Amino acid sequence: MRAFKNFTGLVAPLDKSNVDTDQIIPKQFLKSVVRSGLGAGLFYSWRFTPQGAEIPDFVLNQERYRGASILVAGANFGCGSSREHAVWALDDYGFRAIIAPSFADIFRNNCLKNGLLPVALQAGAVRRIIDAAGARAGYRIAIDLERQTIADEQGQREAFDIEPFYKQRLLEGLDDISLTLAHGEEIAAYERRHLPPYPRL
Amino acid sequence: MAHNSDVRPIAGAIAMTAKTLFEKIWDEHVVYQQSGQPTLLYVDLHLIHEVTTPQAFEGLRVASRKVRAPERTFGTLDHNVPTTDRTRPISDPESATQVEAMRRNCAEFGIKLFALGAREQGIVHVIGPELGLTQPGMTIVCGDSHTSTHGAFGALAFGVGTSEVEHVLATQCLWQVKPKTMEIWVGGRLGAGVTAKDLILGIIGSIGIDGATGHAIEYCGPTIAGLSMEERMTVCNMSIEAGARAGMVSPDQTTVEYLRGRPYAPQGAAFERAAERWLSVRTEAGARFDSSHRFKAEEFAPQVTWGTNPGMVVEVTGKVPEPGAIADPAARAAAARALEYMGLVAGTAITEIKIDRVFIGSCTNSRLSDLKAAAAVAKGRKVARGVQAMVVPGSQQIKAEAETLGLDRIFKEAGFEWRESGCSMCLGMNADILKPQERCASTSNRNFEGRQGPGGRTHLVSPAMAAAAALEGHFVDLREFRIEPLG
């Protein structure tokens, strides 16, 4: 996994709650057998007409939000399907962090495995960021994972929670599997005392 | 729907002696635990399908890793397989590539695959229980959010992403933060024409689509105890639609009898020993949940979704809601957007909504009892002019059983298409999709924008409600529909 570095990025506001993973990456992009290149399908039905032309009103198609690396959205972001393609698509498009009042569980887990930072803030704080990103061209936020804070240039500063275990993994870009394989003894011991679940057919 | 809920403080150490089903399974599967960190949990059963695994196997290959316990992983092909003639090659080259990758990966890593043509093939959450792979007390994961289905057996079962699929393949374990527990208690008797699907849709409408985020649900109470295993699977299946990764039911004699004789369940004396163990994982009297909701079964009516998430649901006797009457600004905006997408006018009676397509299938409602309920409605009648209706059995075994009972003939005579098993139009990864603006009565689990095809409009209902809508061309209150029992 790529390590998460502190950064300052352009903020794109997606003022919707319950953005589901079917919207983030529609099914026609799930036939890929690789992780790369999914940014082209991100929010496909909201970004493009059925003929493939950009829908100018959609936030990511507006000139001022081109190059955004922080997405701010409503509550329960990433609900629905477990498709990790949703995170791969956001990452491939160029997002490094998502700010929302809350995240769906599987989506949040998938973010943490891919170096995409989910930042959960109080609904009021998220509202202020959505409004600021709508009102000011070039609105940027600085994210400091070490200190667990975000801050804008106008002085709004918010602290966020993240489990120390996941924070460390993000900062160091650690591979979960290597860490777990270091517990090989414990896993083997567990298997020795646990009943085998299936008879041999 | 009226219901009571309360959020209770976490029980103190003294009251912790009585354990819930969830706590028993969790504690039993701890491999490694350090204070303040996620738990390393052992996975008893790992189910895989073609869509969420190719990148996981590729990750193993790149790192030269093996599958730790291939005998605990089982694969099927379901998400993008055709439901039409299977004697010919898959025409969509991308689907064919994914299916071929799955075949190659399972062969290379020594994993049992129920491929096309196998009599065990079917939707992953249908075949696990059907084959007796799913058993009480287990931890079960799959790269699919509807893995909660298996919780109906008193297993801790939840969906994971592809990185976690790779992790389970390599280690047979997962790092997990312990979720909170939620009791959903239902008492009383469901009325005639009111099904498990209506129960869970009503519950989601009541607690909200993120009402159980961060929780493992246990469905409790006399109504749940009275449900068949297939009905319990329908309820647990949609737990994720309320935000819960896991939904569970304590195992009982119904669970045991369902599993008796299944090919992967223990046989003979070993079965009786297993049954005793299974029954011991039940939630104990006095066990505490972090939160609780109580419902009365009598208060549920047949449900129909009107919007673009499963919580946007009303009783069939109701009307499309007026967004202006919704107090919360975000919910109001979402409702207005949903009506626009769905092409509906506020105040329209649900029974006046005309449909173009009907889909009976999916991991929610494609089991034999679902098909029987739909067939009882369809028997001797005809699909309305202009409506295209299809029935997609959840597995090849269900298809064969239904054909033995003559259900295929009932459907075909009524004008329904009778298909091969798979996920089909639940998510439209194969050729089974809605055209833009087509309106569908669907027994699946998600009515998200474009879920069944770009621009398609999905209304979630029970199998009998879907069949009735197919015959009439619009939604009808099943309770006013004359249904002859199947002969």
Side-chain angles (χ1 to χ4, degrees):
Chain A
M1 183 172 80
R2 182 189 61 228
F4 186 91
K5 305 274 185 239
N6 292 343
F7 77 103
T8 300
L10 183 68
V11 181
L14 184 62
D15 192 5
K16 283 176 192 278
S17 304
N18 304 312
V19 173
D20 60 74
T21 53
D22 274 80
Q23 306 317 314
I24 299 173
I25 186 82
K27 61 186 148 272
Q28 61 268 36
F29 299 98
L30 305 190
K31 293 179 182 178
S32 172
V33 293
V34 295
R35 291 170 196 245
S36 53
L38 287 163
L42 181 70
F43 295 122
Y44 191 84
S45 297
W46 290 346
R47 261 167 80 197
F48 301 105
T49 65
Q51 291 72 37
E54 280 195 358
I55 297 170
D57 286 352
F58 184 64
V59 56
L60 298 185
N61 292 335
Q62 296 174 31
E63 220 37 59
R64 55 189 291 205
Y65 298 119
R66 303 262 182 203
S69 56
I70 299 171
L71 187 68
V72 56
N76 197 30
F77 189 86
C79 60
S81 159
S82 64
R83 56 188 72 169
E84 195 161 316
H85 310 67
V87 171
W88 298 335
L90 287 161
D91 177 86
D92 189 54
Y93 186 86
F95 287 111
R96 295 289 168 264
I98 316 288
I99 300 173
S102 59
F103 296 91
D105 291 338
I106 303 176
F107 176 82
R108 183 172 184 276
N109 266 342
N110 288 341
C111 285
L112 295 169
K113 308 286 180 197
N114 287 277
L116 182 66
L117 182 67
V119 177
L121 299 178
Q122 294 290 331
V126 173
R127 172 50 52 197
R128 286 194 294 278
I129 295 169
I130 289 177
D131 290 347
R136 288 194 195 91
Y139 178 76
R140 290 151 69 84
I141 276 181
I143 298 188
D144 186 332
L145 176 57
E146 192 78 60
R147 292 198 170 81
Q148 296 180 215
T149 58
I150 65 151
D152 66 15
E153 288 149 2
Q154 287 69 40
Q156 185 182 351
R157 191 167 179 282
E158 306 287 343
F160 63 89
D161 280 336
I162 185 166
E163 301 87 336
F165 177 88
Y166 292 121
K167 176 178 171 179
Q168 210 51 39
R169 247 148 214 72
L170 286 166
L171 286 171
E172 296 177 23
L174 287 178
D175 171 1
D176 263 8
I177 296 178
S178 307
L179 170 90
T180 309
L181 290 173
H183 291 285
E185 277 304 306
E186 283 108 331
I187 301 172
Y190 181 89
E191 285 172 332
R192 280 194 297 273
R193 64 176 193 268
H194 201 71
L195 289 170
Y198 304 114
R200 294 256 174 246
L201 280 188
Chain B
M1 170 169 335
H3 85 277
N4 303 314
S5 71
D6 68 296
V7 177
R8 300 173 194 170
I10 293 168
I14 294 163
M16 290 298 278
T17 46
K19 283 170 127 183
T20 62
L21 164 66
F22 167 82
E23 289 162 335
K24 288 180 181 180
I25 300 176
W26 180 277
D27 292 350
E28 175 74 16
H29 289 83
V30 173
V31 170
Y32 177 79
Q33 171 79 71
Q34 219 179 3
S35 167
Q37 290 204 350
T39 303
L40 189 63
L41 216 54
Y42 198 78
V43 174
D44 289 324
L45 174 63
H46 184 201
L47 300 168
I48 61 176
H49 62 80
E50 76 277 18
V51 173
T52 57
T53 51
Q55 295 88 349
F57 284 111
E58 187 55 26
L60 291 182
R61 264 193 293 270
V62 166
S64 303
R65 287 175 174 140
K66 292 200 190 76
V67 173
R68 180 181 180 92
E71 73 282 5
R72 290 177 184 272
T73 297
F74 293 83
T76 187
L77 299 169
D78 56 3
H79 276 61
N80 70 25
V81 298
T83 55
T84 48
D85 185 4
R86 286 192 177 157
T87 57
R88 288 178 300 181
I90 299 176
S91 57
D92 175 358
E94 286 183 292
S95 292
T97 301
Q98 215 167 41
V99 163
E100 173 55 23
M102 182 72 169
R103 196 197 57 71
R104 200 162 25 84
N105 287 330
C106 288
E108 179 182 340
F109 290 94
I111 290 165
K112 175 82 182 162
L113 173 67
F114 304 118
L116 293 188
R119 62 191 155 81
E120 299 95 338
Q121 182 270 339
I123 304 174
V124 64
H125 310 309
V126 173
I127 67 165
E130 183 176 86
L131 295 171
L133 290 166
T134 301
Q135 294 169 19
M138 282 183 167
T139 48
I140 302 175
V141 303
C142 172
D144 190 284
S145 61
H146 292 108
T147 306
S148 56
T149 312
H150 306 264
F153 289 78
L156 173 57
F158 51 89
V160 297
T162 298
S163 293
E164 288 183 314
V165 168
E166 183 180 341
H167 191 281
V168 174
L169 288 170
T171 70
Q172 206 56 37
C173 296
L174 271 182
W175 295 99
Q176 290 293 301
V177 175
K178 195 176 191 172
K180 292 184 177 144
T181 56
M182 176 183 285
E183 173 191 41
I184 292 184
W185 188 95
V186 191
R189 195 183 278 273
L190 289 170
V194 184
T195 68
K197 181 65 165 289
D198 303 303
L199 179 63
I200 188 61
L201 280 172
I203 289 171
I204 295 163
S206 177
I207 71 173
I209 61 167
D210 59 354
T213 301
H215 289 76
I217 297 173
E218 182 174 343
Y219 300 94
C220 310
T223 311
I224 303 297
L227 297 180
S228 70
M229 287 315 298
E230 299 196 347
E231 292 170 320
R232 293 178 192 181
M233 284 188 252
T234 297
V235 171
C236 289
N237 172 272
M238 290 192 72
S239 301
I240 185 68
E241 265 47 79
R245 287 175 78 188
M248 323 168 75
V249 176
S250 275
D252 58 11
Q253 211 53 43
T254 303
T255 322
V256 170
E257 292 315 316
Y258 178 96
L259 286 168
R260 190 183 297 277
R262 303 261 163 197
Y264 283 88
Q267 310 289 327
F271 182 85
E272 302 308 328
R273 286 196 300 276
E276 200 175 315
R277 195 172 70 244
W278 294 340
L279 293 172
S280 75
V281 297
R282 292 181 58 78
T283 289
E284 291 161 21
R288 302 296 301 264
F289 294 86
D290 294 318
S291 61
S292 181
H293 297 274
R294 293 174 81 82
F295 293 90
K296 291 184 181 136
E298 291 82 2
E299 294 182 358
F300 288 77
Q303 307 280 316
V304 181
T305 62
W306 54 266
T308 51
N309 73 50
M312 293 174 163
V313 63
V314 287
E315 297 183 356
V316 65
T317 50
K319 290 181 162 65
V320 175
E322 177 63 63
I326 299 172
D328 174 58
R332 185 165 60 234
R337 160 77 193 168
L339 292 196
E340 186 191 331
Y341 179 85
M342 293 295 290
L344 291 172
V345 175
T348 306
I350 293 296
T351 51
E352 286 172 12
I353 299 173
K354 292 190 170 62
I355 53 145
D356 308 299
R357 303 282 293 269
V358 171
F359 171 61
I360 297 174
S362 87
C363 59
T364 313
N365 279 131
S366 64
R367 298 180 181 84
L368 192 62
S369 58
D370 298 316
L371 305 191
K372 279 183 179 170
V377 172
K379 190 176 181 186
R381 296 186 167 103
K382 292 285 182 202
V383 169
R385 186 194 293 267
V387 173
Q388 187 190 343
M390 63 194 288
V391 183
V392 183
S395 69
Q396 290 305 93
Q397 189 176 317
I398 290 168
K399 179 168 185 268
E401 286 168 5
E403 287 172 356
T404 304
L405 296 173
L407 304 188
D408 59 323
R409 269 184 293 111
I410 292 174
F411 284 123
K412 284 189 273 194
E413 282 167 16
F416 290 80
E417 294 170 32
W418 178 248
R419 297 291 189 90
E420 304 292 329
S421 57
C423 300
S424 181
M425 209 163 70
C426 173
L427 83 166
M429 276 197 73
N430 64 358
D432 307 337
I433 58 169
L434 296 179
K435 296 191 196 79
Q437 280 84 54
E438 270 189 333
R439 189 179 299 286
C440 181
S442 178
T443 67
S444 55
N445 40 56
R446 287 188 178 133
N447 48 346
F448 296 151
E449 287 182 25
R451 170 83 176 178
Q452 297 191 295
R457 295 161 171 169
T458 303
H459 296 267
L460 304 176
V461 289
S462 75
M465 284 283 289
L471 304 175
E472 298 298 319
H474 57 84
F475 292 108
V476 291
D477 188 343
L478 195 65
R479 295 168 298 186
E480 295 168 2
F481 209 79
R482 200 168 52 85
I483 300 170
E484 308 284 342
L486 289 174

